[in-house]
Amino acid sequence: SERWVPEIEKVHVHELYDAIAPHFSATRYKPWPRVESFLRSLPPGSIVADVGCGNGRYLNCSDCYMIASDRSLPLVKIAVSRAPTTGSLMVSDA
């Protein structure tokens, strides 16, 4: 529920990421090599949770079933456009 989120977090984190989503995504498009290597080391079909997936840069790194979420709807929309056909994407928060 949004009721428990402090106003400072709404303004300086949630609204900020929503506002900068296209720029944030454009500057964070390449997977980190160690994370990509780890994902590729998993057996095909492994279930992976990417909490805080941002623009979904790791969704196409492996043959894993990705369950991905982020707090920012604009970032999730970008991730959906990059997402493989297997997996699940959602907007969610703690």
Side-chain angles (χ1 to χ4, degrees), residues 53-94:
C53 69
N55 65 359
R57 66 179 160 180
Y58 295 108
L59 297 178
N60 294 317
C61 286
S62 68
D63 292 328
C64 295
Y65 183 88
M66 303 292 285
I67 300 171
S69 68
D70 200 276
R71 169 63 182 77
S72 171
L73 177 59
L75 284 173
V76 169
K77 286 181 177 182
I78 293 167
V80 165
S81 72
R82 303 172 71 160
T85 56
T86 60
S88 178
L89 271 158
M90 65 196 84
V91 176
S92 63
D93 198 2

Side-chain angles (χ1 to χ4, degrees), residues 6-88:
E7 189 64 26
I8 192 168
E9 184 175 340
K10 286 181 187 176
V11 172
H12 296 288
V13 179
H14 300 173
E15 291 176 13
L16 176 70
Y17 274 98
D18 288 351
I20 68 167
H23 174 73
F24 182 88
S25 179
T27 60
R28 287 158 181 85
Y29 58 89
K30 188 174 179 183
W32 293 351
R34 287 188 179 184
V35 175
E36 185 175 26
S37 176
F38 167 73
L39 291 171
R40 291 187 186 281
S41 76
L42 298 172
S46 294
I47 299 172
V48 176
D50 186 353
V51 179
C53 69
N55 65 359
R57 66 179 160 180
Y58 295 108
L59 297 178
N60 294 317
C61 286
S62 68
D63 292 328
C64 295
Y65 183 88
M66 303 292 285
I67 300 171
S69 68
D70 200 276
R71 169 63 182 77
S72 171
L73 177 59
L75 284 173
V76 169
K77 286 181 177 182
I78 293 167
V80 165
S81 72
R82 303 172 71 160
T85 56
T86 60
S88 178

